Each structure stands twice: as C-alpha cells, then as structure tokens.
C-alpha cells in the first residue's frame, strides 16, 4: 500500500451545546491542523499515488468553506454537533466527492486541535 499525505490548517468558530463538553459549550475558536492521506495498493501509470499539487489543491478546496467560518451557522452542520470528528468526516466526504472518478484511492483524515490529541477518520467506501 502506498500513501501520500498533505497538510494544512483551518481556523473555525463553533460551540458544542451539550453539558458533556463542559467549557466548550460556549462559542470558541479552534485552529485545526489537517492531514489528508491518499492511499492506493499500487501506483498509477505515472508511478504516483496522486499528484502532490493536485492533492494540495483538493485539500484546499475541501477546507475553503470552513475557513474562518462559524460552524454554528454553516449549512452543512445544521442540526449536528461540529465536533472535531464531525469536521473530519466533512473534509473526508468533500475529498471523496472530488475523487469520485478515482474510487481506488483511499482517503483518511487526521485532525489535531491540540498537540496531545488527534482524531482520525477514514472514508468508509475508501478504506
């Protein structure tokens, strides 16, 4: 299996209005470090997983609707808690849509909101 990882970050605002989240219930900002890994069992005809420039452009496009957004007002998070896990799923699904013509490429996302913890999400149909 081969993998290509590209990264970026995105600054968001959101609230998590449930007692479970303690002080994060109120509106607060977060800077999320984002890594997207694209994988495939064998290289393509150019001996790559995916062109690095294309991978970076795809990640940028997936993050653009989130940049400086208040996720409490974002239409894709209406009625949902915008946890880090939910944001990772959102990014993964946007990337999967962008690569709909290349279903052989696996996609997984890692989001880091603090230096000591990260979450990962693998697009199920892209595992």
């Amino acid at each position: 299996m081969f993998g290509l990882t590209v990264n970026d970050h995105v600054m968001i605002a959101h609230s998590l209005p449930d007692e479970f989240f303690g002080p994060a219930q109120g509106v607060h900002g977060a800077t999320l470090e984002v890594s997207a890994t694209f994988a495939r069992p064998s290289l393509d005809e150019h001996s790559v997983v995916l062109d690095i420039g294309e991978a970076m452009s795809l990640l940028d496009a997936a993050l653009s609707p989130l940049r400086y957004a208040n996720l409490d007002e974002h239409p894709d998070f209406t009625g949902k808690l915008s946890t880090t896990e939910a944001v990772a799923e959102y990014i993964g699904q946007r990337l999967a849509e962008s690569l709909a013509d290349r279903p052989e490429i696996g996609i997984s996302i890692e989001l880091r909101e603090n230096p000591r913890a990260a979450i990962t999400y693998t697009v199920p149909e892209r595992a």
Side-chain angles (χ1 to χ4, degrees), residues 64-117:
S64 282
L66 302 178
R67 292 192 193 282
Y68 303 104
N70 181 345
L71 301 187
D72 295 347
E73 300 169 357
H74 193 287
D76 290 324
F77 290 92
T78 301
K80 295 171 61 176
L81 289 171
S82 56
T83 61
T84 305
E85 291 86 346
V87 174
E89 180 181 28
Y90 170 90
I91 296 166
Q93 293 302 321
R94 299 298 77 73
L95 290 172
E97 290 168 9
S98 295
L99 290 169
D101 62 333
R102 291 176 269 182
E104 71 280 3
I105 298 176
I107 302 167
S108 57
I109 304 299
E110 178 182 276
L111 288 187
R112 188 171 292 277
E113 188 173 347
N114 86 46
R116 297 181 60 200

Side-chain angles (χ1 to χ4, degrees), residues 14-22 24-26 28 72 80-82:
H14 68 150
S15 63
L16 299 168
D18 186 299
E19 288 183 26
F20 176 82
F21 297 103
Q25 292 176 66
H28 61 281
D72 295 347
K80 295 171 61 176
L81 289 171
S82 56

